[in-house]
Amino acid sequence: MPSLELTESAVDLTRTICDIPSVSGDETGLADAIFAAISGLPHLDVYRDGDTIVARTHLGRAQRVVIAGHIDTVPINDNVPTRDIVEDGTAYIWGRGTVDMKAGVAVQLKLAAELTDPRVDITWMWYDHEEVDADLNGLTRLARTRPDLFAGDFAILGEPSNGEVEGGCNGNLRAIIRTEGVRAHSARAWIGENAIHKAAPILERLAHYQPRDLEVEGLVYREGLNAVRIRGGVAGNVIPDLCEVEVNYRFAPSRDVAEATRHVRDVFDGFAVDIVDVAAGARPGLDAPLAREFLSAVGAEPRPKYGWTDVARFSALGVPAVNYGPGDPHLAHHDEERVPVAQIEAVEVGLRTWLLGL
Amino acid sequence: MPSLELTESAVDLTRTICDIPSVSGDETGLADAIFAAISGLPHLDVYRDGDTIVARTHLGRAQRVVIAGHIDTVPINDNVPTRDIVEDGTAYIWGRGTVDMKAGVAVQLKLAAELTDPRVDITWMWYDHEEVDADLNGLTRLARTRPDLFAGDFAILGEPSNGEVEGGCNGNLRAIIRTEGVRAHSARAWIGENAIHKAAPILERLAHYQPRDLEVEGLVYREGLNAVRIRGGVAGNVIPDLCEVEVNYRFAPSRDVAEATRHVRDVFDGFAVDIVDVAAGARPGLDAPLAREFLSAVGAEPRPKYGWTDVARFSALGVPAVNYGPGDPHLAHHDEERVPVAQIEAVEVGLRTWLLGL
């Protein structure tokens, strides 16, 4: 089993945990290492559920902050192990997970071990299956079995935000658009109906779709509608009777799930649309007292979060939540994912300063 | 092991062999049954190579005719076992393989056992893997190891031709058309490039493609260009970096392989095109003496064959070849594949009459 040394710098810890592959569904090795490193610490009460680990202080503080990060990544594409690179004079750690979001997790792990006497009680959460169906998300499971663990006055998700504070998040919907045809031998195609050819307007509408920008509480959220998968076909000599295009719609937090669903059905009017997964976004919520305090302590200008993150889960439970982590979110899931070393250090300092009330 | 009783009627034999599934790659059960039924017959010299079986008479006749049929089918789609149905007063056997081409094989098996004294020497061939890559075709393998077995003055493929004689065949080309993009998190799609969206013009061109009709030696061949498979995508939240559309081009026998390849590259100009499989068609060849004799004996008007068949293989070896079998080729690979009982009987009578010189 790989082991973690939490007295290492957050930068070294980032390298170490990125080099332990943990693609969604395969997080156990990393979860075991985190559990082993954390469970001996006397100031933390540790709970494990599958590959999700929760570590809490019980200092009797007036307020509790939840600080969370997922430990899974999207599939590796020749970008593990990590490498140290320099671009335009900036030092980066390059590789899968460096941005989304193991650098954030590394900072959290280091501070969880170090901060034995913070000014607020802290609930640390490291969880699995964030990059796949919401159903599989470790926090979804935890919310069913231990909803009490989500209690708090404020939550910080360590999702990449370039070391800025990103408020709220877009909602997230996935749907399958289907075309049907009639199979026939491809030598006599005119007898059948080609389901793949019928999908041409679906791709046309996607290619020409103009995403909207929507302002919510002063922050501008950018939407997006994309094909993420397509499949169809039976054999090399058969006219296909089915084609499925999976689309992903990211929608501003001012739209609810019903409105988002209606929009997708409108865009693909005339086609069979099956909604397979949908999660509401979260409004920024930056007027909460702890949120204002946090913003001023870390000296950051709030920005909108485009990607859906688990801030929406806390937001739905009435806990104001923000994203604050190292790494450019534009590079999340990118093959050239890389995190500036200086941002890891800045987020570490920002969190430590605020949590110690310095 | 299922067993075959070759004294049964060709109609009963059709039911029996259709009910032994033999999707390409899974022909061994049926090949074993054919081998067992044929290998005890004293007038036939039987050779087996994998799931291909060759049975020859050696009667010292002046001429030799090759009569061949493939024993594999395209994938089953809830259409095995067979059923007896009646439509508009016509009796059919319904189910996968009834048309393409187990009714033809049933007639051949019955006559192979029955005709101990035909007017020509006969080489019967039943072979595997016709419905997949030409590389895997049992006759491709046999042509490498035992080219002598293909010697003959005329060849008849039992491919479905509605009991008519179909001359020549279209050529067959498969190609992969690729689009590439850049992966990114789907919450920030504008950072990546969506390879599936880029495939929209490929499907548009296919949907609007107008296939040509080309006359060759008096027969009109109808061409076709179709998507047979499409695939793309990485995960539900990743902008895909690759989309592949597999297309199948059926081209008239007046075009050679180079011309067909050029045409496909022209249609998809601007896209990466990878030719994965190509087989030339065959000109009708109906002016050969045995071909004329056969046409007059079975009293059929020749028609063009649209689908690629192994007549092209014989044609390339200088052996004139035609398709002659029960079943409507329009229904080959169709989920409602069904063969008229009367056509099975008519082809059986036609072949027997000619082979006995009655």
Side-chain angles (χ1 to χ4, degrees), chain A residues 132-214:
Chain A
V132 287
D133 275 9
D135 277 358
L136 297 173
N137 188 309
L139 293 189
T140 303
R141 200 173 58 236
L142 198 65
R144 270 197 303 267
T145 57
R146 291 293 307 270
D148 59 298
L149 295 177
F150 290 81
D153 301 287
F154 184 49
I156 300 170
L157 274 286
E159 294 277 356
S161 62
N162 256 325
E164 308 285 342
V165 174
E166 293 187 344
C169 70
N170 272 332
N172 189 12
L173 178 153
R174 283 189 306 117
I176 307 274
I177 323 297
R178 281 191 184 78
T179 55
E180 294 189 3
V182 177
R183 286 191 199 184
H185 194 301
S186 62
R188 286 165 297 276
W190 53 93
I191 300 309
E193 276 178 49
N194 195 314
I196 295 176
H197 295 193
K198 287 186 181 180
I202 298 172
L203 299 197
E204 274 296 307
R205 291 182 204 178
L206 284 164
H208 293 111
Y209 182 81
Q210 293 294 336
R212 294 165 297 188
D213 290 348
L214 287 165

Side-chain angles (χ1 to χ4, degrees), chain A residues 77 131 174 183 185-189 191 194 197 226-233 236-237 240 248 250 307 329-330 332-333, chain B residues 77 131 174 185-189 191 194 197 226-233 236-237 240 248 250 307 329-330 332-333:
Chain A
N77 194 20
E131 297 290 5
R174 283 189 306 117
R183 286 191 199 184
H185 194 301
S186 62
R188 286 165 297 276
I191 300 309
N194 195 314
H197 295 193
N226 271 273
V228 287
R229 269 190 278 245
I230 189 166
R231 60 191 152 235
N237 56 359
N248 184 211
R250 303 293 179 139
H330 290 157
H333 302 197
Chain B
N77 195 21
E131 297 290 3
R174 282 188 308 116
H185 194 301
S186 62
R188 286 166 298 276
I191 301 308
N194 196 314
H197 296 192
N226 271 273
V228 287
R229 268 190 280 244
I230 189 166
R231 61 192 151 234
N237 56 0
N248 184 211
R250 303 294 179 137
H330 290 157
H333 301 197

Side-chain angles (χ1 to χ4, degrees), chain A residues 74-77 96 100 130-132 160 170 172 174 182-192 194 196-201 203-204 206-207 222-241 243 245-248 250 305-308 328-335, chain B residues 74-77 96 100 130-132 160 170 172 174 182-192 194 196-201 203-204 206-207 222-241 243 245-248 250 305-308 328-335:
Chain A
V74 294
I76 290 165
N77 194 20
R96 177 62 75 231
D100 191 8
E130 193 270 349
E131 297 290 5
V132 287
N170 272 332
N172 189 12
R174 283 189 306 117
V182 177
R183 286 191 199 184
H185 194 301
S186 62
R188 286 165 297 276
W190 53 93
I191 300 309
N194 195 314
I196 295 176
H197 295 193
K198 287 186 181 180
L203 299 197
E204 274 296 307
L206 284 164
R222 187 163 179 184
E223 297 195 333
L225 177 63
N226 271 273
V228 287
R229 269 190 278 245
I230 189 166
R231 60 191 152 235
V234 179
N237 56 359
V238 179
I239 298 301
D241 57 349
C243 182
V245 184
E246 183 178 330
V247 301
N248 184 211
R250 303 293 179 139
K305 184 71 177 173
Y306 295 126
W308 188 93
D328 182 347
H330 290 157
L331 292 174
H333 302 197
H334 199 287
D335 289 345
Chain B
V74 293
I76 290 166
N77 195 21
R96 176 63 74 230
D100 191 7
E130 193 270 348
E131 297 290 3
V132 288
N170 272 333
N172 188 12
R174 282 188 308 116
V182 177
R183 287 192 199 184
H185 194 301
S186 62
R188 286 166 298 276
W190 54 93
I191 301 308
N194 196 314
I196 295 176
H197 296 192
K198 286 186 180 179
L203 300 197
E204 275 295 308
L206 284 164
R222 188 164 179 182
E223 297 195 333
L225 177 63
N226 271 273
V228 287
R229 268 190 280 244
I230 189 166
R231 61 192 151 234
V234 178
N237 56 0
V238 178
I239 298 302
D241 57 349
C243 182
V245 185
E246 183 178 329
V247 301
N248 184 211
R250 303 294 179 137
K305 184 71 177 172
Y306 295 126
W308 188 92
D328 182 348
H330 290 157
L331 292 175
H333 301 197
H334 198 287
D335 289 345

Side-chain angles (χ1 to χ4, degrees), chain A residues 255-274:
Chain A
R255 300 183 185 282
D256 63 13
V257 161
E259 210 177 330
T261 302
R262 201 159 49 240
H263 179 65
V264 170
R265 292 196 188 282
D266 283 350
V267 170
F268 299 107
D269 188 37
F271 291 95
V273 174
D274 187 13

Side-chain angles (χ1 to χ4, degrees), chain A:
Chain A
M1 191 181 82
S3 79
L4 302 179
E5 185 48 71
L6 301 185
T7 54
E8 274 187 350
S9 73
V11 173
D12 285 341
L13 262 178
T14 298
R15 285 189 198 94
T16 305
I17 69 175
C18 287
D19 291 344
I20 304 172
S22 59
V23 174
S24 310
D26 192 29
E27 298 95 334
T28 305
L30 178 53
D32 286 349
I34 292 173
F35 184 74
I38 284 288
S39 53
L41 300 172
H43 65 291
L44 293 175
D45 172 20
V46 179
Y47 173 80
R48 179 168 181 174
D49 174 73
D51 292 331
T52 289
I53 294 158
V54 181
R56 289 176 296 168
T57 64
H58 289 293
L59 302 165
R61 303 293 191 244
Q63 292 175 305
R64 175 173 292 278
V65 172
V66 183
I67 304 180
H70 65 85
I71 63 170
D72 61 321
T73 71
V74 294
I76 290 165
N77 194 20
D78 267 342
N79 50 5
V80 164
T82 52
R83 292 201 305 261
D84 287 342
I85 63 169
V86 174
E87 254 186 38
D88 299 331
T90 302
Y92 292 88
I93 306 175
W94 173 98
R96 177 62 75 231
T98 51
V99 170
D100 191 8
M101 56 165 279
K102 290 182 171 181
V105 167
V107 168
Q108 293 173 356
L109 286 169
K110 177 164 185 63
L111 294 179
E114 177 192 314
L115 301 183
T116 54
D117 191 30
R119 61 183 279 255
V120 288
D121 268 310
I122 307 176
T123 301
W124 303 96
M125 291 181 168
W126 300 287
Y127 59 102
D128 57 291
H129 282 95
E130 193 270 349
E131 297 290 5
V132 287
D133 275 9
D135 277 358
L136 297 173
N137 188 309
L139 293 189
T140 303
R141 200 173 58 236
L142 198 65
R144 270 197 303 267
T145 57
R146 291 293 307 270
D148 59 298
L149 295 177
F150 290 81
D153 301 287
F154 184 49
I156 300 170
L157 274 286
E159 294 277 356
S161 62
N162 256 325
E164 308 285 342
V165 174
E166 293 187 344
C169 70
N170 272 332
N172 189 12
L173 178 153
R174 283 189 306 117
I176 307 274
I177 323 297
R178 281 191 184 78
T179 55
E180 294 189 3
V182 177
R183 286 191 199 184
H185 194 301
S186 62
R188 286 165 297 276
W190 53 93
I191 300 309
E193 276 178 49
N194 195 314
I196 295 176
H197 295 193
K198 287 186 181 180
I202 298 172
L203 299 197
E204 274 296 307
R205 291 182 204 178
L206 284 164
H208 293 111
Y209 182 81
Q210 293 294 336
R212 294 165 297 188
D213 290 348
L214 287 165
E215 190 175 320
V216 184
E217 297 168 18
L219 300 182
V220 176
Y221 289 83
R222 187 163 179 184
E223 297 195 333
L225 177 63
N226 271 273
V228 287
R229 269 190 278 245
I230 189 166
R231 60 191 152 235
V234 179
N237 56 359
V238 179
I239 298 301
D241 57 349
L242 179 66
C243 182
E244 296 186 321
V245 184
E246 183 178 330
V247 301
N248 184 211
Y249 178 41
R250 303 293 179 139
F251 55 98
S254 52
R255 300 183 185 282
D256 63 13
V257 161
E259 210 177 330
T261 302
R262 201 159 49 240
H263 179 65
V264 170
R265 292 196 188 282
D266 283 350
V267 170
F268 299 107
D269 188 37
F271 291 95
V273 174
D274 187 13
I275 308 293
V276 290
D277 193 26
V278 59
R283 289 180 167 266
L286 294 171
D287 46 1
L290 267 177
R292 284 169 196 259
E293 224 178 280
F294 171 71
L295 279 173
S296 100
V298 304
E301 197 57 45
R303 296 159 184 264
K305 184 71 177 173
Y306 295 126
W308 188 93
T309 77
D310 281 295
V311 297
R313 186 184 304 277
F314 289 95
S315 176
L317 292 169
V319 183
V322 298
N323 301 286
Y324 178 57
D328 182 347
H330 290 157
L331 292 174
H333 302 197
H334 199 287
D335 289 345
E336 301 297 327
E337 191 174 341
R338 57 198 183 277
V339 65
V341 168
Q343 275 188 14
I344 303 175
E345 291 163 342
V347 168
E348 179 188 348
V349 169
L351 273 180
R352 181 188 287 115
T353 304
W354 182 61
L355 289 169
L356 291 179
L358 300 176

Side-chain angles (χ1 to χ4, degrees), chain B residues 12-328:
Chain B
D12 285 342
L13 262 178
T14 298
R15 285 189 198 93
T16 305
I17 68 174
C18 287
D19 291 344
I20 304 172
S22 59
V23 174
S24 310
D26 193 28
E27 297 96 333
T28 305
L30 179 54
D32 286 350
I34 292 173
F35 185 73
I38 284 289
S39 53
L41 300 172
H43 65 291
L44 293 175
D45 172 20
V46 179
Y47 174 80
R48 179 167 181 173
D49 174 74
D51 292 331
T52 289
I53 294 158
V54 181
R56 287 177 297 168
T57 64
H58 289 293
L59 302 165
R61 303 295 190 241
Q63 292 176 304
R64 174 172 292 277
V65 172
V66 183
I67 304 180
H70 65 84
I71 63 171
D72 60 321
T73 70
V74 293
I76 290 166
N77 195 21
D78 268 342
N79 51 5
V80 164
T82 53
R83 292 204 303 263
D84 287 341
I85 63 169
V86 174
E87 255 186 37
D88 298 331
T90 302
Y92 292 89
I93 306 175
W94 173 98
R96 176 63 74 230
T98 51
V99 170
D100 191 7
M101 57 164 280
K102 289 182 170 180
V105 167
V107 168
Q108 293 173 358
L109 286 168
K110 177 163 185 65
L111 294 179
E114 176 192 316
L115 301 183
T116 54
D117 191 30
R119 61 184 277 256
V120 287
D121 267 311
I122 308 176
T123 300
W124 303 96
M125 291 181 168
W126 299 287
Y127 60 102
D128 56 293
H129 282 94
E130 193 270 348
E131 297 290 3
V132 288
D133 276 9
D135 278 359
L136 297 173
N137 187 310
L139 294 189
T140 303
R141 201 172 61 235
L142 198 65
R144 270 197 305 268
T145 57
R146 290 293 306 272
D148 58 299
L149 295 177
F150 290 81
D153 301 286
F154 185 50
I156 300 170
L157 274 287
E159 294 277 355
S161 61
N162 257 325
E164 307 285 341
V165 175
E166 293 187 343
C169 70
N170 272 333
N172 188 12
L173 178 152
R174 282 188 308 116
I176 307 272
I177 323 297
R178 280 192 184 77
T179 55
E180 295 189 3
V182 177
R183 287 192 199 184
H185 194 301
S186 62
R188 286 166 298 276
W190 54 93
I191 301 308
E193 276 177 50
N194 196 314
I196 295 176
H197 296 192
K198 286 186 180 179
I202 298 172
L203 300 197
E204 275 295 308
R205 291 182 203 179
L206 284 164
H208 293 111
Y209 183 81
Q210 293 294 336
R212 294 166 297 190
D213 290 348
L214 287 165
E215 190 177 321
V216 185
E217 296 168 18
L219 300 182
V220 176
Y221 289 84
R222 188 164 179 182
E223 297 195 333
L225 177 63
N226 271 273
V228 287
R229 268 190 280 244
I230 189 166
R231 61 192 151 234
V234 178
N237 56 0
V238 178
I239 298 302
D241 57 349
L242 180 66
C243 182
E244 297 186 321
V245 185
E246 183 178 329
V247 301
N248 184 211
Y249 177 40
R250 303 294 179 137
F251 55 98
S254 52
R255 300 182 185 282
D256 63 14
V257 161
E259 209 177 331
T261 302
R262 200 158 51 238
H263 179 65
V264 169
R265 292 196 188 282
D266 283 351
V267 170
F268 299 106
D269 188 37
F271 290 95
V273 174
D274 187 12
I275 308 293
V276 289
D277 193 28
V278 59
R283 289 179 168 266
L286 293 171
D287 46 1
L290 266 178
R292 284 170 196 257
E293 222 178 281
F294 171 71
L295 278 174
S296 99
V298 303
E301 196 57 44
R303 296 158 185 265
K305 184 71 177 172
Y306 295 126
W308 188 92
T309 78
D310 280 295
V311 298
R313 187 184 303 277
F314 289 95
S315 175
L317 292 169
V319 183
V322 297
N323 300 285
Y324 177 57
D328 182 348

